[in-house]
Amino acid sequence: MDGIYLEELVSNLLGEEGLLAAYESSDGLCLPHFRQALAWVRDERVFEALINVQRVVWERLVSHLSEFIRKSDYRFQDESWGEERDAWLRAIAALAGAPFDRDD
């Protein structure tokens, strides 16, 4: 079933009403699904766009991880948590391909 969704993502990534902006503002794909999506690509422009957007998504996650680590330092323990509070869980899910629900 995943293949159908990945094929749709790849087929509709670019274009006037493409999924590129929505994909960039999402948590992206986990590593296993990202690899599968790349296997579906037959167009170099789509390949480059998919890689570039996933890079943006992962760079955002790395930034959240860095902030999580910083706020875990006792010197910053009084700072409130933001988006970074669950970055470590999202990073594990992104690498392992495990589902992650922010509401849990």
Side-chain angles (χ1 to χ4, degrees), residues 65-77 79:
L65 283 168
S66 295
E67 185 64 2
F68 177 86
I69 291 167
R70 188 187 74 78
K71 286 185 178 180
S72 295
D73 186 314
Y74 75 93
R75 295 172 294 175
F76 307 106
Q77 66 187 4
E79 293 184 25

Side-chain angles (χ1 to χ4, degrees), residues 20-74:
L20 191 64
Y23 182 56
E24 186 172 353
S25 66
S26 75
D27 286 336
L29 294 171
C30 66
L31 184 57
H33 284 119
F34 180 62
R35 287 180 172 163
Q36 287 176 348
L38 290 176
W40 282 100
V41 176
R42 299 291 175 256
D43 180 319
E44 186 175 340
R45 293 177 316 120
V46 173
F47 185 84
E48 291 295 324
L50 190 62
I51 288 176
N52 289 335
V53 172
Q54 189 68 37
R55 181 179 296 127
V56 168
V57 167
W58 284 339
E59 285 173 351
R60 184 171 54 237
L61 180 56
V62 167
S63 174
H64 290 169
L65 283 168
S66 295
E67 185 64 2
F68 177 86
I69 291 167
R70 188 187 74 78
K71 286 185 178 180
S72 295
D73 186 314
Y74 75 93

